[in-house]
Amino acid sequence: MVLLLLETPAGYALFSLKNKKLLKADADTIYESFKEASDAARQVDLTAFHRFKDTKAAMEAATELTEGTVGKSMKKFLKKSIVDAGLGDSLAVLDKTLGGNINKKLGIEVSVLSESLKEVMRGIRLHLTTLIEGLEESEVKAMSLGLAHTLSRFKLKFSPDKVDVMIMQAVGLLDDLDKELNNFAMRLREWYGWHFPEMGKIVTENLAYAKVVKHMGLKVKAKDTKFGKIGVPEDIALEVQKAAETSMGTDITDEDLVNIHTLAERVIELTEYRASLAEYLKLRMNAIAPNLTYMVGELVGARLISQAGSLMSLAKHPSSTVQILGAEKALFRALKTKKQTPKYGLIYHASLVGQSAPNLKGKISRVLAAKLSLCCRVDALGDQVEPSLGKEYKEYVEKRLATLEEGGMRGMTKGISKPQQGKFEKKASGTVKYNTEADAVEEPVKKKRKATEEAEEPAKKKKRKASAAEEAAVEEVPKKKIKKQVEKEEE
């Protein structure tokens, strides 16, 4: 005989199969056998039933079943109903993992679940309220609805996939705080600048400016104010006091000063809250994505997770997508206009890309994105706490950057010839005799050249005279013609 274990919202149920022919029957035959409640009662019989005490017990049992583990309640139920009762029948369970754990812990033989057994269990669930006495259909529906809500709330609360939502919200709030802080600090400087305009150039930091405004108040009180209490250096405090004596600002009323103080307090509060939020984000990123944080920092890593949607989504992206993540508008604009696509997105703000040369930023961002995609997969699917992989990959990227920079320097000095650096070899010492046969006697070539030059000079002079006489004869012919024409006109 085969025993069937079913889990219901009301509790665990153990049925025994009377008709063994159903194990080899097809789906249509089994459906006809469980068409009516009376037919189902002839096929199976309820052996034991364990009711849950409350919704909490049902939720714990459902959580254990989804994980495939054998809980305390199920272990007691099976031990009492099968082991202690001396039943040697095989047990059919829907989950294969759960069946293996039952066999290990209790030693009960678990049969292989076939398609026919699945159809039998489907038929039992169809007439569950009839087969189990004292169980009403309305009660089962209410129990299943309550269990579904409780289980969903529990999974949403403790699901590891939802932890990165806190990172996304924190980095979004951090960006909003930066914008609001800049707006508030600028408004405070403009507002208080009408009263004390010179202090804006002396105190440049926004937090220090707000603290000075709150602590000092009117510029008339600058002499009596002790700036050391708020952490302002002495040289800046002296400059503020000197500038207050010759300030060109206008006077303000007490009501104006109250509103300015309120704004200064708000700037101080927001700055302090931003620092605590940044620390919270750093701790959260180190806990969830240690390798990603070690590679690019907590701020860039959190923005990458926020842009992708979750850490799991970022892990599923290829390295080419991680490289241009955050530059989607530029990418589609480049594809539309048929121009060069962007080489980097949010990854540009990483220190490894920022410290590289402008012509190497594209190559380094590609190398960094390839290693980041691997780090994200380890963080999302692994259980490492120490950033061992991130340290190894960061060293690799730094070495790659150094290699590329060295290659660039070699390319710049490629055409420059370098002196040959050979090993100096001392010549063999010994007495060297003078070789008289190596002497060459020079012939008097210069005298011959002078004689030939003197012979050539009169010939050149004759040629020059002949050419000059020809030119003079050519010039005389037109002169004679001109004289004849003049004489005819006079006649």
Side-chain angles (χ1 to χ4, degrees):
M1 191 167 60
V2 179
L3 298 174
L4 306 174
L5 177 64
L6 267 80
E7 64 280 357
T8 66
Y12 296 121
L14 192 65
F15 290 92
S16 58
L17 186 64
K18 296 178 181 179
N19 190 4
K20 292 185 179 180
K21 293 180 181 179
L22 294 177
L23 296 175
K24 298 180 181 179
D26 55 352
D28 295 334
T29 306
I30 296 171
Y31 175 73
E32 292 294 332
S33 302
F34 286 91
K35 197 169 185 180
E36 299 293 336
S38 57
D39 298 334
R42 287 194 296 268
Q43 305 300 330
V44 293
D45 188 21
L46 180 65
T47 305
F49 180 70
H50 171 71
R51 185 185 288 270
F52 296 133
K53 293 180 180 179
D54 51 9
T55 310
K56 184 180 179 181
M59 189 262 294
E60 290 176 358
T63 307
E64 290 166 356
L65 287 170
T66 52
E67 294 174 357
T69 58
V70 182
K72 291 182 179 179
S73 57
M74 180 181 282
K75 189 177 180 180
K76 288 180 180 179
F77 171 66
L78 293 176
K79 189 176 181 181
K80 182 181 178 181
S81 304
I82 300 176
V83 179
D84 295 344
L87 298 177
D89 303 325
S90 60
L91 181 68
V93 187
L94 280 174
D95 191 5
K96 187 178 179 181
T97 309
L98 180 63
N101 290 329
I102 290 171
N103 189 13
K104 284 181 182 178
K105 287 192 174 183
L106 298 172
I108 300 172
E109 183 184 353
V110 179
S111 61
V112 179
L113 192 64
S114 60
E115 294 295 329
S116 58
L117 277 174
K118 289 181 182 179
E119 294 296 328
V120 170
M121 288 188 176
R122 188 177 296 173
I124 294 172
R125 289 184 186 279
L126 187 63
H127 305 286
L128 192 64
T129 54
T130 308
L131 294 172
I132 300 174
E133 294 181 1
L135 196 64
E136 296 180 1
E137 190 172 353
S138 59
E139 187 181 359
V140 173
K141 285 183 179 179
M143 287 179 179
S144 61
L145 184 63
L147 179 61
H149 286 176
T150 309
L151 191 62
S152 300
R153 227 179 287 119
F154 177 78
K155 280 192 172 183
L156 187 65
K157 187 177 180 181
F158 294 102
S159 175
D161 298 330
K162 297 294 179 182
V163 177
D164 51 9
V165 176
M166 304 301 170
I167 291 173
M168 294 160 58
Q169 297 294 335
V171 73
L173 180 58
L174 202 63
D175 293 338
D176 294 340
L177 277 176
D178 288 336
K179 292 177 184 177
E180 294 300 326
L181 268 173
N182 287 333
N183 291 332
F184 286 173
M186 181 184 68
R187 186 64 58 193
L188 179 63
R189 285 176 178 274
E190 289 180 359
W191 202 347
Y192 193 74
W194 286 99
H195 177 61
F196 193 2
E198 292 82 6
M199 196 176 79
K201 294 181 180 179
I202 299 170
V203 184
T204 55
E205 191 180 353
N206 293 331
L207 180 60
Y209 189 90
K211 286 182 178 179
V212 169
V213 170
K214 183 184 175 183
H215 188 64
M216 181 176 67
L218 296 173
K219 62 183 178 182
V220 183
K221 300 178 181 178
K223 285 185 178 180
D224 303 328
T225 305
K226 295 181 181 179
F227 294 99
K229 293 181 179 179
I230 55 175
V232 178
E234 292 184 2
D235 52 347
I236 295 177
L238 291 173
E239 288 183 17
V240 171
Q241 290 173 352
K242 288 180 181 178
E245 294 176 358
T246 59
S247 176
M248 300 294 291
T250 60
D251 295 333
I252 57 175
T253 61
D254 293 337
E255 294 178 359
D256 297 334
L257 187 62
V258 168
N259 289 311
I260 292 172
H261 274 182
T262 307
L263 182 58
E265 289 174 359
R266 185 58 55 87
V267 170
I268 294 169
E269 290 173 1
L270 287 177
T271 307
E272 292 174 353
Y273 175 64
R274 191 208 174 279
S276 63
L277 186 65
E279 187 66 24
Y280 162 78
L281 181 64
K282 183 179 180 181
L283 295 173
R284 180 69 70 168
M285 281 294 295
N286 285 325
I288 293 171
N291 294 293
L292 178 64
T293 307
Y294 190 85
M295 287 285 288
V296 293
E298 63 274 1
L299 202 59
V300 179
R303 282 177 179 153
L304 286 172
I305 292 173
S306 178
Q307 188 70 24
S310 66
L311 182 61
M312 186 62 70
S313 300
L314 183 63
K316 291 177 182 177
H317 286 324
S319 59
S320 57
T321 307
V322 175
Q323 182 181 349
I324 60 168
L325 204 64
E328 288 82 8
K329 287 185 179 179
L331 173 66
F332 291 116
R333 184 171 61 247
L335 293 174
K336 189 176 180 181
T337 56
K338 295 182 180 178
K339 293 183 179 179
Q340 288 186 350
T341 55
K343 296 179 181 178
Y344 30 71
L346 291 169
I347 206 173
Y348 177 79
H349 300 287
S351 60
L352 289 169
V353 180
Q355 69 186 10
S356 60
N359 58 336
L360 299 177
K361 287 186 186 295
K363 293 181 180 179
I364 289 300
S365 62
R366 185 167 63 250
V367 175
L368 182 61
K371 300 304 177 186
L372 274 182
S373 60
L374 297 176
C375 289
C376 292
R377 288 162 195 169
V378 172
D379 291 334
L381 303 172
D383 54 353
Q384 292 184 358
V385 180
E386 296 295 328
S388 56
L389 191 69
K391 291 178 181 178
E392 180 184 348
Y393 284 161
K394 192 170 183 180
E395 288 179 3
Y396 172 80
V397 176
E398 289 173 351
K399 288 180 182 178
R400 179 64 179 158
L401 176 60
T403 306
L404 289 172
E405 287 178 349
E406 288 177 5
M409 293 299 292
R410 287 175 188 170
M412 290 172 66
T413 59
K414 192 174 182 181
I416 302 173
S417 61
K418 296 180 180 179
Q420 293 181 357
Q421 295 178 355
K423 189 177 179 181
F424 176 74
E425 293 180 359
K426 191 177 180 181
K427 293 181 180 180
S429 60
T431 56
V432 181
K433 295 181 179 181
Y434 182 75
N435 189 9
T436 54
E437 295 178 357
D439 294 340
V441 181
E442 294 182 357
E443 296 180 359
V445 182
K446 292 182 180 180
K447 292 182 180 179
K448 288 185 178 179
R449 284 181 181 176
K450 284 182 179 180
T452 53
E453 285 175 2
E454 288 174 358
E456 289 176 356
E457 279 180 2
K460 288 181 180 179
K461 287 180 180 179
K462 289 179 182 179
K463 286 181 180 180
R464 287 175 185 172
K465 289 180 180 179
S467 61
E470 289 177 359
E471 288 176 359
V474 172
E475 289 177 357
E476 286 177 359
V477 174
K479 285 181 181 179
K480 289 179 181 179
K481 289 181 180 180
I482 292 167
K483 284 181 180 181
K484 288 181 181 180
Q485 289 177 0
V486 172
E487 288 175 357
K488 286 181 182 181
E489 289 176 359
E490 289 176 355
E491 290 176 356

